Amino acid sequence: MMIGSRDELKAHAERFRREMAAEKKRVLVCTGPGCLANGAEKILQEFQRHAVNAVGATRTGCHGFCEVGPLVRIEPDDVVYVHVKPEDVAEIVETTLVRGEVVERLVYRDADTGAAYPKESEIPFYASQTKVALSNCGAINPDDIGEYIARDGYQALARAALDLSPDEVVQEVLASGLRGRGGGGFPTGRKWMFARQAKGEQKYVVCNADEGDPGAFMDRCIMEGDPHSVLEGLAIAARAIGADRGYIYVRAEYPIAVARMKNAARQARTRGLLGANILGSDFSFDVTIKEGAGAFVCGEETALLASIEGKRGMPRPRPPFPANEGLFGKPTIINNVETLATVPQILRRGAAWFRTIGTETSPGTKTFAVTGQVANTGLVEVPMGTTLRDVVFGIGGGVIGGKKFKAAQIGGPSGGCLPEQLLDTPLDYDSLKKAGAMVGSGGLVILDEGTCMVEVARFFMHFTQTESCGKCVPCREGTKRMLQILEKIVAGRATLDDLDILEQIAWVVKESSLCALGKTAPNPVLTTLKYFRDEYRAHIVDKKCLAGVCSAFKSYVIHPELCKGCGKCRKACPSEAIAGEIRHPHMIDAAKCAKCGACAEACAFGAISLE
Amino acid sequence: MTPVEAAQRKFERVNEIIEEHGREQSALIPILQEVQAEYRYLPEEILTYIATAMGLSVATVFGVATFYAQFSLSPKGKYVVRVCDGTACHVRHSMRVYEAIRSKLNLRDGRFTTPDMMFTVETVACLGACGVAPAMVINDEVYGKMTPEAACAIIDTLLNRDGEN
Ligand SMILES: Cc1cc2nc3c(=O)[nH]c(=O)nc-3n(C[C@H](O)[C@H](O)[C@H](O)COP(=O)(O)O)c2cc1C
């Protein structure tokens, strides 16, 4: 059914709202990545099998609180059940859906206080969040455009296409102060203005959904939970700069996101919300969903454009900026998923509203993927400027297992590690930059005292070295040399001179690389050197790993009281480092031992351990 | 079927895929993706064929096929096991899971695929399933909160399932 005008859009919204209201209760089963891996699909099927009158059971995108998934929420009661299993469904149906009571044993309980929180809005994890980009995630069926329209979806596009001139759209976004959520934090309105002013008949808009930062999954969740918000945002961007064609470049590792985006585009096309003369205006626009092919560097905007063109995804120097010479040489803007998902709300609620959230220079909210050694793993959205402490200890519930906090790794491989003394840093573009880190995509990995910071730096360098495209020398060679030195340090073979060289190379790579992959690759090294230099020194000078992680400083030992002298370990050892007579305790020659662990695996008596 | 007929059959499907996407260079990556879905890898003679059919140089097509991690120029196993080694999984000890599977399947040194072509074991940078770290994906199925033991048990299930058939 076509929606050809604003009145028809309103009528549709009314009708969808009535349809949804006819369901006395709605069961919202989270099928975000975490819950899905824990069997959410089966739970949904169980609900559909147990269908009761006037109850709708639907899949939704990520509810955010991955730690306690699979999650099920029941509306309008706002009751949430955690760690739900398919076997629990019958009881939920009987107790909550039929009798309207709460299943106490499935309610979330605070691990420390034991307090029970049956309602989502009261759970501390949710209570201090502000949802803008994620406002529909977990609340609607992402495969049904009607539910998006019922929640005022496509009203912002109606305003952009019917009420405002393209320049006014740019002005509104400019006034909101929205900055790119993809990492750089460049003002979105400024980018649009450049592309608006660029000369050319043909222009393009591109959504960067390559989300390559390990530890970030907000873009995935937005696409899977609320795909129409991304489409609407992209269409508004197209209206602003005068483009009639858009691309959404989705990471290949996200097949569900690809399917949801394709389905959403198909539905929007059927309703006339994509295509010619949208809502009866003179604005025409359509999109193509492109799948990436597994290259981190393709998240960089010029590399991404090369990839859409069917080439090797390598960055090129800027200027010319894509706003002037982008896809197929035409003026193009590239925006991140979360940036675009925020745009419709700005147009609907106004720039002034947006500025009431966040800080002066970083208005609005930001989603963070809180992971690692933290009690409440999940996806959270908070006003910019919220402190790291509030996110880690408030919403995140602190470090898991009562261990001590050591650092927060923020911004992925291009970000940095912030130590305890910087816990009060406000999470906004400028404060984080000052601390040597960056907002990046919003990956926030919590590290506890059992983490070796040198190993963490090595881990990230291994990642960037592998993903370096090889076009420019500083990044190609520099990341390789830095990785070699870091490997030497964790292996206990480095000298203090190596540390100096590491630092020197880090600065050279930072200052002379072609794209931001190289420019930011040294950040994990530089921040760990800045805040955890003693750990580097301990590896080099004292031959010790303070966290007890690096195996170079450990050796395998056979405990004579447990060893039966069976000889299995001797046979398993590929280095012939084990000797001993049958039925007498064996011994490991540390000089020959390669620390492969084959002996410990072979031992049936648990007599061999790494100490 | 004679070898010549088999080869023709092979290229017929490639032709269909090319027809569907067109011969612009921007269609190259989607074409390679679909061809790989069909053959589970990109055989060299097919890459050469695609280059000729699309009017691109063989170097261009090989350049693209070797740039992206998704493309494989050698055959993969029936089950592709990818252990996530993104940051969240790494700090929750994903490498122990990876090593346990490799050692269970006797994969040493530079080998990633078992000789019987049943399993390919790799790492992947991030699956976006950080909420259930460490995560692992086998073909399209995602498994969360992995331990070395749990992962090996899953491999066992697959081995048994195939043993029965
Ligand atoms: C190596 C590298 C990887 C990047 N990966 C992404 C990504 O996955 N998603 C993203 O939106 N931006 C990524 N960016 C940033 C983009 O180049 C670009 O700045 C961004 O998409 C612009 O959108 P925004 O202004 O809405 O943030 C990456 C940059 C670099 C250098």
Side-chain angles (χ1 to χ4, degrees):
Chain A
M1 213 182 329
M2 292 288 281
I3 301 175
S5 67
R6 188 200 312 258
D7 286 340
E8 282 176 32
L9 182 65
K10 282 201 173 130
H12 267 77
E14 277 307 317
R15 189 167 64 78
F16 289 128
R17 272 196 284 268
R18 269 200 310 278
E19 275 174 20
M20 285 167 75
E23 293 173 345
K24 291 254 159 23
K25 291 208 197 276
R26 271 165 67 79
V27 181
L28 304 166
V29 181
C30 176
T31 57
C35 292
L36 203 58
N38 279 329
E41 203 61 46
K42 189 92 206 299
I43 295 168
L44 179 66
Q45 283 166 13
E46 281 296 295
F47 272 111
Q48 284 164 345
R49 205 163 65 84
H50 281 89
V52 196
N53 242 353
V55 170
T58 175
R59 80 175 74 246
T60 72
C62 183
H63 292 193
F65 203 175
C66 312
E67 187 70 38
V68 294
L71 289 151
V72 171
R73 190 164 86 243
I74 292 158
E75 284 190 341
D77 319 45
D78 192 31
V79 168
V80 177
Y81 294 129
V82 301
H83 296 301
V84 178
K85 294 189 194 59
E87 306 85 271
D88 298 327
V89 170
E91 187 180 349
I92 297 175
V93 170
E94 191 52 36
T95 312
T96 311
L97 299 182
V98 177
R99 295 207 307 274
E101 292 161 15
V102 172
V103 182
E104 294 294 340
R105 68 178 181 90
L106 293 173
V107 161
Y108 172 74
R109 273 167 215 282
D110 188 291
D112 295 329
T113 63
Y117 297 93
K119 286 182 192 277
E120 179 181 283
S121 52
E122 290 167 359
I123 298 177
F125 176 85
Y126 291 104
S128 34
Q129 296 192 42
T130 305
K131 300 216 169 177
V132 175
L134 297 178
S135 57
N136 282 334
C137 276
I140 62 171
N141 176 354
D143 282 326
D144 184 351
I145 189 173
E147 297 200 8
Y148 182 70
I149 292 175
R151 287 171 73 101
D152 296 328
Y154 290 105
Q155 308 260 352
L157 179 60
R159 181 167 177 237
L162 299 168
D163 305 343
L164 303 179
S165 71
D167 285 318
E168 285 168 331
V169 177
V170 173
Q171 279 311 317
E172 185 87 28
V173 175
L174 207 51
S176 75
L178 174 66
R179 294 171 68 171
R181 303 304 195 227
F186 191 82
T188 307
R190 283 252 298 284
K191 193 186 275 188
W192 292 14
M193 194 171 68
F194 293 143
R196 165 101 205 118
Q197 290 163 351
K199 288 197 179 40
E201 280 292 298
Q202 178 70 57
K203 295 181 185 178
Y204 294 103
V205 289
V206 175
C207 171
N208 187 342
D210 198 41
E211 194 163 65
D213 276 9
F217 55 99
M218 57 285 292
D219 293 350
R220 169 177 179 174
C221 288
I222 293 173
M223 286 187 283
E224 290 184 9
D226 193 16
H228 286 283
S229 68
V230 183
L231 283 182
E232 190 179 1
L234 193 63
I236 292 169
R239 166 72 176 160
I241 70 158
D244 65 356
R245 183 120 218 110
Y247 288 87
I248 301 177
Y249 186 91
V250 191
R251 212 174 155 228
E253 287 82 350
Y254 289 174
I256 303 172
V258 171
R260 293 265 160 84
M261 288 308 313
K262 282 190 173 162
N263 182 52
R266 205 176 310 123
Q267 289 187 353
R269 219 168 275 135
T270 317
R271 304 266 175 190
L273 294 166
L274 285 178
N277 302 103
I278 293 169
L279 293 169
S281 70
D282 58 359
F283 171 57
S284 303
F285 177 67
D286 211 333
V287 298
T288 307
I289 318 287
K290 279 267 181 184
E291 272 176 74
F296 172 66
V297 71
C298 286
E300 196 280 337
E301 53 187 28
T302 58
L304 187 151
L305 297 179
S307 183
I308 295 182
E309 292 171 3
K311 302 176 183 151
R312 289 162 72 92
M314 289 183 168
R316 61 157 177 80
R318 298 172 304 178
F321 286 94
N324 293 308
E325 258 177 61
L327 190 61
F328 305 114
K330 308 288 188 232
T332 303
I333 55 166
I334 297 126
N335 274 124
N336 164 262
V337 170
E338 190 183 337
T339 313
L340 291 171
T342 308
V343 164
Q345 305 226 24
I346 292 173
L347 263 99
R348 204 151 47 74
R349 300 159 88 164
W353 160 79
F354 192 69
R355 279 201 168 273
T356 62
I357 312 168
T359 70
E360 179 63 33
T361 54
S362 306
T365 55
K366 175 78 191 92
T367 58
F368 290 95
V370 183
T371 62
Q373 274 115 4
V374 64
N376 300 335
T377 303
L379 199 57
V380 310
E381 183 171 7
V382 289
M384 288 270 187
T386 305
T387 66
L388 182 57
R389 186 186 301 278
D390 284 342
V391 172
V392 177
F393 289 90
I395 298 171
V399 176
I400 201 165
K403 291 221 179 127
K404 243 181 89 182
F405 173 88
K406 185 175 219 170
Q409 206 289 333
I410 182 160
S414 26
C417 294
L418 302 182
E420 191 172 6
Q421 66 265 31
L422 292 183
L423 270 172
D424 291 308
T425 308
L427 298 172
D428 62 66
Y429 295 105
D430 311 302
S431 309
L432 282 170
K433 198 154 182 200
K434 227 184 283 160
M438 61 190 272
V439 178
S441 53
L444 188 57
V445 186
I446 312 307
L447 307 172
D448 70 12
E449 56 190 334
T451 315
C452 170
M453 299 311 289
V454 186
E455 213 291 315
V456 168
R458 185 211 59 81
F459 168 78
F460 281 115
M461 195 51 69
H462 176 75
F463 177 84
T464 26
Q465 191 273 318
T466 314
E467 296 295 340
S468 171
C469 77
K471 181 167 178 171
C472 77
V473 179
C475 177
R476 182 182 67 223
E477 300 303 323
T479 54
K480 216 172 232 157
R481 295 294 159 253
M482 284 192 284
L483 178 61
Q484 273 178 348
I485 296 174
L486 289 164
E487 282 171 347
K488 245 171 110 178
I489 299 175
V490 295
R493 288 186 283 106
T495 64
L496 284 174
D497 284 346
D498 286 321
L499 205 56
D500 288 340
I501 299 172
L502 176 66
E503 206 160 4
Q504 264 177 32
I505 302 177
W507 284 107
V508 171
V509 173
K510 193 177 172 77
E511 279 165 19
S512 55
S513 291
L514 170 62
C515 85
L517 185 139
K519 284 192 204 325
T520 58
N523 284 352
V525 171
L526 289 170
T527 51
T528 46
L529 272 173
K530 186 166 169 193
Y531 299 119
F532 300 95
R533 190 177 280 266
D534 54 329
E535 291 200 28
Y536 281 86
R537 290 188 63 96
H539 282 76
I540 296 169
V541 181
D542 312 329
K543 305 286 171 209
K544 252 195 203 138
C545 172
L546 296 179
V549 170
C550 298
S551 59
F553 307 106
K554 297 189 199 169
S555 46
Y556 279 94
V557 287
I558 301 177
H559 300 281
E561 70 282 6
L562 294 174
C563 177
K564 306 266 189 257
C566 70
K568 259 199 188 153
C569 58
R570 184 162 38 88
K571 290 192 200 104
C573 177
S575 325
E576 299 184 350
I578 302 181
E581 275 174 48
I582 287 293
R583 281 193 286 281
H584 291 281
H586 283 41
M587 296 264 280
I588 299 176
D589 181 350
K592 287 191 194 159
C593 174
K595 294 177 189 164
C596 69
C599 54
E601 239 169 74
C603 180
F605 308 102
I608 306 180
S609 63
L610 192 62
E611 316 233 307
Chain B
M1 212 172 1
T2 68
V4 175
E5 279 170 345
Q8 269 167 357
R9 279 279 268 283
K10 194 151 133 183
F11 290 128
E12 238 167 68
R13 181 70 195 115
V14 177
N15 273 334
E16 279 169 25
I17 294 172
I18 296 174
E19 279 323 311
E20 227 169 86
H21 290 273
R23 289 179 162 71
E24 295 290 328
Q25 184 168 352
S26 59
L28 178 58
I29 293 173
I31 287 173
L32 294 180
Q33 282 167 332
E34 223 170 290
V35 169
Q36 177 160 299
E38 195 79 20
Y39 299 95
R40 302 226 307 262
Y41 77 111
L42 296 173
E44 284 196 18
E45 66 276 17
I46 290 189
L47 287 179
T48 315
Y49 183 83
I50 291 174
T52 317
M54 293 181 73
L56 297 169
S57 75
V58 176
T60 301
V61 174
F62 269 74
V64 169
T66 51
F67 183 84
Y68 295 97
Q70 192 188 27
F71 298 130
S72 171
L73 270 60
S74 56
K76 292 199 177 185
K78 176 171 173 197
Y79 297 107
V80 179
V81 181
R82 294 187 298 160
V83 177
C84 183
D85 195 32
T87 323
C89 292
H90 186 77
V91 302
R92 285 196 179 181
H93 312 300
S94 52
M95 289 319 278
R96 288 186 201 157
V97 175
Y98 176 66
E99 290 302 338
I101 300 175
R102 280 182 60 84
S103 114
K104 177 170 182 67
L105 293 172
N106 233 330
L107 292 169
R108 298 235 159 130
D109 306 322
R111 287 201 74 99
F112 297 95
T113 301
T114 53
D116 61 358
M117 298 304 292
M118 278 288 284
F119 290 95
T120 296
V121 184
E122 318 170 320
T123 57
V124 53
C126 184
L127 294 168
C130 318
V132 290
M136 163 175 102
V137 55
I138 301 183
N139 295 348
D140 275 333
E141 181 113 14
V142 182
Y143 300 87
K145 300 200 174 166
M146 279 293 106
T147 59
E149 298 76 39
C152 288
I154 293 166
I155 301 287
D156 270 329
T157 317
L158 294 178
L159 280 169
N160 290 340
R161 185 193 299 169
D162 273 78
E164 279 160 26
N165 295 342

